[in-house]
Amino acid sequence: MTVRYRPELNAISPYQPGKPIADVQRELGLERVIKLASNENPLGFSPRVREAVLQALEQANFYPDGNATLLKEKIAEKYGVAPEMVLPTCGSDEMVDLIAKTFIEPGSQVIMAEVTFPRYQITSLMMGADLQIVPMKDLGYDLGGFKEVLTPQTRLVWLCNPNNPTGSFFTRGELLDLLESVSPETLVVYDEAYYEFATHPEYPRDSIELVQKYPNMLVLRTLSKAYGLAGLRLGFTIGHPALLGLINRIRNPFNVTSLTQAAALAALDDEEFLARTVTNNNAGKEYLYGQLERLGLPYGKTEANHIMFDSRRDGQAVFQALLRRGVIIRPVGVPRYSTWLRVSIGTAEENRVFIQALEEVLAELAPLS
Ligand SMILES: *Cc1c(COP(=O)(O)O)cnc(C)c1O
């Protein structure tokens, strides 16, 4: 193949999504497969969504509202900001991409953590960033390490709190310290995909208020995790209207479907479903902590809906052996953490099936010395 392409692509490998259940059923001839690989909501989604989507379907011959006016207003009201400070996207994935396209140019200095959401790396490299990767400290973000590589020229800093896949978090004090350390010309992207799950008292619950004080900060949220709507693709970003205005120039005009807008309007109101989700997550977290301890496996404490643990075996081999037993999780896939995997917290039953399969796999595969 001789067609020429952008040389930036040579440094990029495709994103590896969690394996779909149907693939594993087909490939391995398994009937019962559980997926704890993509941090999806094991309780489904709010029952209010179905009716809203069916109603919106009746209008599917029309283009969606490209400005998502009602949804912006709903989000603005819920979080106490002006509608001009809200921008919905096709998942926060799309926003990560749009941010990279809007703010990064070849040679821009961009900072991210070693073990975090892989899309930051792919999109930064795509735009030709000079990417600085800060190693983890005790499985968490080392914001002191971020400060050491920051310069007044730094274009963008990617932060994920609570972090995927480690589940770790940094405190409000640490966040404020970093925000004070960056130049007002540096964009701070603050991805809170797991915000709703965080329970630690030092977790910064008021990030959206911080946007008023730090206009160089964007807060990213999603309905894919706690709200259980990963398949409908809705993320939203809160930030200074001037930043959102730049991003808006390159956004696809109909990036959020009418079905998704209707679903989100219904889902955002259902506090009861959200509370049930968080309660299930907290119970699953305690169960999995106890079981990982019983099995003698190190793990990271989590503020999210997933736990990263050290299998003390090759992570790929553990992943494959679990697949054969109908349990899909995810190896972390970062060289320094080749024995670590991430499991999403499921229902009580799914967690139990996972632990039973893991115990069998640990007996089958000898630990690395
Ligand atoms: C899941 C996830 C996202 C993407 O969410 P979508 O809204 O489904 O695109 C973004 N950031 C992090 C850290 C995630 O884990």
Side-chain angles (χ1 to χ4, degrees):
M1 210 276 287
T2 52
V3 173
R4 285 166 292 178
Y5 63 93
R6 296 179 52 215
E8 284 84 0
L9 269 63
N10 290 328
I12 299 175
S13 354
Y15 179 74
Q16 298 283 355
K19 251 175 129 46
I21 289 178
D23 284 13
V24 177
Q25 284 172 323
R26 201 172 344 98
E27 288 166 20
L28 296 170
L30 294 171
E31 204 144 291
R32 184 197 163 100
V33 172
I34 63 167
K35 185 180 180 206
L36 298 173
S38 302
N39 304 337
E40 291 144 336
N41 192 322
L43 304 184
F45 50 84
S46 162
R48 299 178 191 182
V49 167
R50 180 167 290 104
E51 185 56 34
V53 168
L54 287 175
Q55 215 175 326
L57 189 58
E58 298 299 328
Q59 305 281 310
N61 55 315
F62 293 108
Y63 278 101
D65 172 6
N67 185 53
T69 305
L70 292 179
L71 183 55
K72 275 186 192 169
E73 282 170 2
K74 158 83 68 185
I75 293 168
E77 192 198 319
K78 184 172 165 91
Y79 296 102
V81 296
E84 302 73 51
M85 295 184 68
V86 180
L87 189 58
T89 48
C90 179
S92 37
D93 266 356
E94 186 193 20
M95 184 47 92
V96 169
D97 203 63
L98 288 171
I99 287 170
K101 287 176 180 166
T102 306
F103 298 101
I104 301 175
E105 56 189 308
S108 296
Q109 195 206 17
V110 173
I111 306 177
M112 65 176 280
E114 174 190 16
V115 184
T116 189
F117 192 49
R119 294 294 310 169
Y120 309 149
Q121 179 164 20
I122 294 170
T123 57
S124 301
L125 292 175
M126 172 185 79
M127 298 312 296
D130 168 13
L131 194 59
Q132 317 252 336
I133 295 187
V134 180
M136 307 311 276
K137 189 168 147 192
D138 306 328
L139 287 191
Y141 267 54
D142 175 14
L143 291 186
F146 274 66
K147 279 168 67 176
E148 278 169 31
V149 290
L150 270 174
T151 72
Q153 279 71 47
T154 301
R155 183 66 64 91
L156 189 153
V157 180
W158 297 105
L159 300 176
C160 185
N161 196 28
N163 187 39
N164 174 14
T166 58
S168 60
F169 83 107
F170 47 85
T171 65
R172 184 172 187 276
E174 290 175 282
L175 174 61
L176 286 176
D177 182 50
L178 189 86
L179 288 167
E180 288 294 332
S181 307
V182 302
S183 151
E185 294 180 21
T186 300
L187 179 65
V188 177
V189 180
Y190 187 65
D191 183 347
E192 286 191 311
Y194 302 95
Y195 171 85
E196 293 84 1
F197 295 105
T199 55
H200 197 284
E202 288 185 79
Y203 180 78
R205 296 223 70 87
D206 61 341
S207 52
I208 286 178
E209 285 156 52
L210 294 178
V211 169
Q212 312 280 5
K213 183 163 175 211
Y214 300 96
N216 56 334
M217 172 186 187
L218 291 174
V219 174
L220 275 55
R221 300 275 179 92
T222 177
L223 269 63
S224 295
K225 308 288 159 56
Y227 289 92
L229 293 177
L232 284 177
R233 318 296 307 122
L234 190 90
F236 61 89
T237 297
I238 311 270
H240 194 285
L243 292 181
L244 299 185
L246 291 171
I247 295 167
N248 209 33
R249 293 184 196 179
I250 58 165
R251 172 180 71 84
N252 282 329
F254 304 112
N255 59 334
V256 180
T257 74
S258 45
L259 303 191
T260 299
Q261 293 186 34
L265 281 167
L268 282 164
D269 273 338
D270 196 343
E271 295 291 335
E272 195 268 334
F273 176 77
L274 204 60
R276 242 180 341 115
T277 294
V278 173
T279 302
N280 175 73
N281 196 67
N282 288 337
K285 184 193 310 195
E286 292 308 320
Y287 169 77
L288 290 171
Y289 284 170
Q291 295 299 311
L292 291 168
E293 277 159 33
R294 178 176 68 80
L295 298 172
L297 301 181
Y299 64 90
K301 287 265 192 255
T302 186
E303 290 298 315
N305 65 346
H306 52 266
I307 298 179
M308 189 167 123
F309 67 95
D310 183 359
S311 68
R312 299 205 152 122
R313 285 123 179 111
D314 175 57
Q316 277 295 336
V318 171
F319 165 68
Q320 293 294 344
L322 283 169
L323 265 194
R324 292 194 289 275
R325 288 169 174 81
V327 177
I328 318 173
I329 66 167
R330 250 183 110 116
V332 165
V334 173
R336 209 152 66 92
Y337 294 85
S338 63
T339 59
W340 290 75
L341 297 103
R342 183 193 74 189
V343 61
S344 308
I345 298 171
T347 60
E349 170 67 6
E350 287 171 331
N351 298 335
R352 201 185 52 72
V353 170
F354 158 67
I355 288 294
Q356 195 184 336
L358 180 63
E359 200 162 359
E360 289 172 23
V361 167
L362 295 177
E364 178 182 300
L365 304 172
L368 301 175
S369 44

